[in-house]
Amino acid sequence: MSAEKQDGSLQTTFHNAVATVEFGHPASNSFPRQLLDRLTSEINALSENETVSVIVLKSLGAKVFCSGASFDELLAVKNEKEGTHFFSGFAHLLNAMRNCSKIIVARVQGKAVGGGVGIISACDYVLATPESAVKLSELAIGIGPFVIEPAVSRKIGKAAMTEMTLAAHEWKSATWALENKLFTEIHNAEDLNTAVVNFAQQLSSYNPDALYEMKKIIWEGTEHWESLLIERAGITGKLVLSDFSRKALEQFKK
């Protein structure tokens, strides 16, 4: 397996005013820190690209949208500084998506866990399939969804976030995610691509200045996330070093 394959893949394509960003990783589209940083940089670059009005975020494969943090990297964390550094990757990505001047549309073709749910929550419009179940499993491995919680709570509310978090072993159905506003639309798998392309193209036909002003309104009141998400990364970075987390991660990996 090549180094690029091990670190994951990231590719952006352009069609009219729509930029489609596709990420992938052989471990169920999980995110090692390097891939998180690459995606963050790409979102920041597209935010400054005047030829782009809409970003579509998608992942490789058919069954899993994103399985969150890389278990291998979590197990490799040796001290609190390394732990904070790793989880700050998700903080930087969510802040980049929040600050991005473009509307971000998610194409969710399959399951999402942990950080994957956070990424979906940071998108402005989400099209998914009936197979797109979601789960926040962090408590089961001795940590919690601290970094992504503000994004998840903003999208589905504190009550639904609490339900997901405390039922750490339970998958929530795509219908549940739709009813709780994590998803905006659900389409059969064979119709998803067409629905995403049509919606993104329609959105990109609108006045880009109006879309930019709308993006600012959508994310009003989240300015404090710049520091909050980094603080939350520190909490998780400390907890991941616990004996509970070490044992749980080893067990989950098996």
Side-chain angles (χ1 to χ4, degrees), residues 14-120:
F14 299 88
H15 181 70
N16 297 330
V18 178
T20 299
V21 181
E22 183 177 64
F23 66 88
H25 192 278
S28 300
N29 291 333
S30 62
F31 271 99
R33 177 58 195 260
Q34 185 182 87
L35 187 57
L36 279 171
D37 290 347
R38 289 167 62 192
L39 180 54
T40 300
S41 296
E42 187 67 8
I43 295 294
N44 286 333
L46 291 172
S47 181
E48 300 297 323
N49 188 329
E50 295 182 357
T51 68
V52 172
S53 295
V54 177
I55 297 170
V56 172
L57 186 61
K58 61 187 290 190
S59 64
L60 290 170
K63 294 184 178 181
V64 180
F65 173 73
C66 177
S67 61
S70 165
F71 270 28
D72 288 338
E73 288 198 4
L74 287 179
L75 283 167
V77 170
K78 297 181 178 64
N79 54 58
E80 192 172 331
K81 182 178 179 179
E82 290 182 2
T84 300
H85 172 75
F86 176 76
F87 287 104
S88 67
F90 278 98
H92 294 320
L93 175 58
L94 296 186
N95 275 322
M97 296 173 71
R98 175 181 66 85
N99 289 321
C100 183
S101 64
K102 320 300 180 181
I103 299 295
I104 302 177
V105 177
R107 172 192 175 275
V108 180
Q109 83 285 15
K111 293 181 176 181
V113 184
V117 177
I119 291 170
I120 292 170

Side-chain angles (χ1 to χ4, degrees), residues 90 94 114-115 117-119 136 138 145-153 229:
F90 278 98
L94 296 186
V117 177
I119 291 170
L136 292 180
E138 286 87 343
F146 301 110
V147 175
I148 65 171
E149 178 277 321
V152 178
S153 290
L229 300 192

Side-chain angles (χ1 to χ4, degrees), residues 103-110 120 123-134 155 173-189 191-203 206:
I103 299 295
I104 302 177
V105 177
R107 172 192 175 275
V108 180
Q109 83 285 15
I120 292 170
C123 292
D124 302 302
Y125 202 95
V126 180
L127 295 91
T129 70
E131 293 73 41
S132 302
V134 292
K155 184 61 73 75
S173 70
T175 300
W176 185 95
L178 180 69
E179 291 172 347
N180 285 279
K181 309 302 182 184
L182 181 65
F183 298 160
T184 322
E185 300 179 16
I186 292 180
H187 298 270
N188 291 329
D191 300 324
L192 180 63
N193 284 338
T194 300
V196 170
V197 169
N198 288 346
F199 179 77
Q201 289 296 330
Q202 180 64 58
L203 197 60
Y206 302 152

Side-chain angles (χ1 to χ4, degrees), residues 150-167:
V152 178
S153 290
R154 172 187 164 276
K155 184 61 73 75
I156 69 176
K158 286 281 187 181
M161 181 280 300
T162 301
E163 181 181 338
M164 282 192 79
T165 300
L166 298 185

